[in-house]
Amino acid sequence: MSTHKSSADVCPCGSGLAYAACCGRFLDAHALPETAEALMRSRYTAYARGDADYLRATWHASTRPDTLDLAADTAEKPKWIGLDVRAHQRQSEEWASVEFVARYRVGGRAHRLHERSRFVRDAGRWYYVDGDMLE
């Protein structure tokens, strides 16, 4: 179940821009992210908004799970509360990585997800492949 807010709201990805001018272009208007970082930010926003369809569509077929039920991932749904992009490196025309820290709450407790994600550009479109947990 998606919990969409007004397109004038500030984007959850931390850019400071309005959702419609930022990740809303990708999640709602179906524009393609130009960089791996833009895709990663839009995927964070999709998690924050509960948009499993977008997450699956932006996950490379080689590693995409058969199903993605965001409500079933934990006993209590996480509330995503912040994103800090630490690094974006483009290794080649087809490969890039993004290091980030995503903060969220579950059951009133704060958690951090620190990951270096790998992205591939396939047929002109960026996809999330996988990631390594850090710290």
Side-chain angles (χ1 to χ4, degrees):
M1 173 188 244
S2 184
T3 57
H4 290 283
K5 297 179 182 176
S6 165
S7 62
D9 291 340
V10 175
C11 192
C13 82
S15 67
L17 298 173
Y19 169 76
C22 192
C23 294
R25 299 176 295 142
F26 312 126
L27 277 78
D28 298 339
H30 308 291
L32 297 178
E34 305 85 12
T35 65
E37 181 180 346
L39 177 60
M40 193 281 310
R41 286 181 176 280
S42 71
R43 286 177 55 82
Y44 173 87
T45 297
Y47 274 106
R49 295 171 65 91
D51 192 338
D53 291 339
Y54 181 82
L55 291 165
R56 282 192 36 76
T58 58
W59 211 312
H60 194 263
S62 65
T63 57
R64 180 185 311 130
D66 291 334
T67 61
L68 183 62
D69 184 357
L70 297 179
D73 286 349
T74 61
E76 198 172 324
K77 187 176 177 184
K79 177 175 176 32
W80 297 92
I81 56 175
L83 176 67
D84 177 26
V85 175
R86 301 247 174 118
H88 172 223
Q89 296 177 321
R90 192 154 177 183
Q91 286 80 21
S92 69
E93 287 298 311
E94 292 85 24
W95 289 96
S97 63
V98 178
E99 180 184 345
F100 67 91
V101 175
R103 293 177 291 113
Y104 62 98
R105 287 191 185 282
V106 174
R109 295 193 59 194
H111 301 272
R112 291 168 29 106
L113 172 68
H114 188 182
E115 181 176 303
R116 182 173 298 114
S117 297
R118 283 179 285 282
F119 296 84
V120 65
R121 193 166 187 213
D122 190 358
R125 182 175 178 171
W126 285 103
Y127 293 93
Y128 169 78
V129 177
D130 61 15
D132 295 320
M133 300 301 280
L134 304 173
E135 288 183 21

